[in-house]
Amino acid sequence: MQARCLALALALGALVAGALAVPAAAQQVAVIVNGAPITTYDIEQRIRFAKLASHKEPSRQDVIQELIDEKLKVQVGKKYKLEVEDAQVDNAYGNMAQRMHLSPAQLTEALLRQGIDAQTLKAKIRADIAWQQIVRGKFQTSLQIREKDVFDKLQAEKKDDKNDVGYEYQLRPILFLIAPGASQLIVDGRKREAEQLRVRFENCDAGLAFARALRDVAVRDLIVKSSADLGAEFRKILDGIEVGKLTSPESTQQGIQMFALCAKKANKLDSANTKEVRDKLFAAEFQAKSTRYLAELRRQAMIEVK
């Protein structure tokens, strides 16, 4: 028995030693960018993430170049005394999870199942936040989009703006609160309560007062949004309901949320079509400035490939 236990202990010891040896090998430095290392572990993690995101196998060289660019972005941010707070990264990470209908913890778990450390994604988010602020600040004047350019683009694309009418929406969010970690039974129950309110809701004056009297229900402050501020899917939802009615219940991290449409008026100046063209022009100009500036940083950088 003792011999068998000893053999088992030696086997476990060998496994632990092997497990501890893997991170050390994985941390081998592959590239140094202005003194900052990129390890083989960083590269392998990014390859896994890129494959998961695009469903394609990226080239190792493309991944290395992407990681080099990220190091340069973060470094130039520090040069300008721009520190991206952990809270900013966590907030962006949380928003990404929410768009996938997951909590941050669930997104972390989903990545882990694919062998991806959440820090891989957070490092990319941190670099992107820093870079957005740097480019916007450095090229602030030249990134201003003129209304004439928007009009000319609309004309060139033969988009007749005469009939392109946007709307201004006045919304009141209504939230059926749910405690974190609540069971699916409780969530389903709150959804039924929200649906019952939706059926009874006839107008904002009486409906909001009734909602405030319900158990664990919060009626948020008025939100005013134009068509240009909203995504196409949500605009379609709002245009499909009458003023004084509620949108369908949707699950959020805080609970079950609906929006009361309290007013809606035409607003030609904020048409979605004009916003789309303005955003495209800004994105093109931003990308051009970003590409040129990044190329300049690469030329000036000390990059050593091991």
Side-chain angles (χ1 to χ4, degrees):
M1 178 65 73
Q2 289 181 341
R4 189 177 297 176
C5 290
L6 179 59
L8 179 58
L10 289 172
L12 288 174
L15 286 173
V16 171
L20 293 173
V22 171
Q27 290 294 332
Q28 181 181 350
V29 175
V31 183
I32 298 177
V33 183
N34 292 330
I38 296 173
T39 68
T40 52
Y41 176 77
D42 297 330
I43 296 168
E44 293 305 321
Q45 282 281 294
R46 184 55 60 87
I47 288 174
R48 289 184 182 185
F49 177 73
K51 187 176 179 179
L52 178 66
S54 66
H55 304 289
K56 295 188 296 185
E57 185 78 35
S59 77
R60 186 178 180 84
Q61 189 54 45
D62 286 346
V63 167
I64 290 174
Q65 188 58 63
E66 182 180 341
L67 289 169
I68 290 173
D69 289 346
E70 285 181 16
K71 289 291 185 187
L72 293 172
K73 290 174 182 179
V74 172
Q75 288 169 358
V76 76
K78 290 180 178 179
K79 174 185 174 183
Y80 287 105
K81 310 297 183 185
L82 173 64
E83 289 288 345
V84 178
E85 301 290 337
D86 290 344
Q88 291 176 268
V89 177
D90 290 340
N91 185 55
Y93 186 80
N95 289 338
M96 185 178 296
Q98 188 172 12
R99 289 194 296 271
M100 299 167 67
H101 304 289
L102 300 172
S103 68
Q106 288 171 330
L107 176 55
T108 298
E109 185 180 343
L111 291 171
L112 192 58
R113 285 198 297 268
Q114 301 295 324
I116 302 167
D117 187 340
Q119 294 306 317
T120 293
L121 177 53
K122 289 186 177 183
K124 178 173 173 55
I125 290 172
R126 187 181 300 277
D128 288 343
I129 291 174
W131 189 244
Q132 288 273 340
Q133 294 182 35
I134 289 295
V135 174
R136 283 175 181 270
K138 188 175 180 64
F139 303 103
Q140 184 175 8
T141 303
S142 56
L143 284 173
Q144 297 295 324
I145 304 301
R146 301 181 304 170
E147 291 304 311
K148 181 180 182 304
D149 295 332
V150 175
F151 177 80
D152 290 345
K153 183 68 172 176
L154 285 167
Q155 293 297 104
E157 295 181 357
K158 297 182 180 180
K159 291 183 177 179
D160 187 0
D161 196 38
K162 292 179 181 178
N163 297 318
D164 183 23
V165 178
Y167 292 94
E168 181 183 89
Y169 305 92
Q170 294 185 19
L171 306 169
R172 293 297 294 268
I174 299 175
L175 184 65
F176 283 69
L177 301 169
I178 298 176
S183 68
Q184 189 60 45
L185 186 64
I186 292 176
V187 173
D188 292 341
R190 295 300 269 167
K191 281 184 179 178
R192 286 193 297 271
E193 292 177 44
E195 281 290 1
Q196 290 169 4
L197 174 63
R198 185 168 175 249
V199 171
R200 298 185 58 172
F201 205 96
E202 295 295 334
N203 59 71
C204 284
D205 288 338
L208 293 174
F210 181 77
R212 288 191 186 95
L214 296 176
R215 176 182 59 87
D216 295 332
V217 172
V219 177
R220 306 297 195 196
D221 292 339
L222 178 70
I223 297 174
V224 179
K225 293 287 186 181
S226 71
S227 297
D229 298 324
L230 303 173
E233 186 176 340
F234 193 48
R235 286 200 308 270
K236 185 177 179 180
I237 291 172
L238 293 178
D239 291 338
I241 65 173
E242 299 175 19
V243 173
K245 297 293 186 178
L246 292 175
T247 61
S248 298
E250 290 192 356
S251 297
T252 71
Q253 291 183 5
Q254 290 78 37
I256 307 300
Q257 181 170 261
M258 299 183 291
F259 290 90
L261 177 58
C262 295
K264 172 184 172 182
K265 63 180 182 179
N267 185 352
K268 185 176 179 180
L269 293 177
D270 284 326
S271 70
N273 194 41
T274 302
K275 171 71 160 48
E276 180 184 352
V277 169
R278 186 181 290 110
D279 286 349
K280 284 182 178 178
L281 289 173
F282 179 86
E285 190 64 28
F286 182 94
Q287 186 59 43
K289 293 285 191 294
S290 174
T291 300
R292 286 198 293 270
Y293 187 33
L294 196 52
E296 178 185 335
L297 292 176
R298 286 195 209 105
R299 287 194 297 270
Q300 297 172 354
M302 295 288 291
I303 301 173
E304 181 184 356
V305 179
K306 294 292 186 178

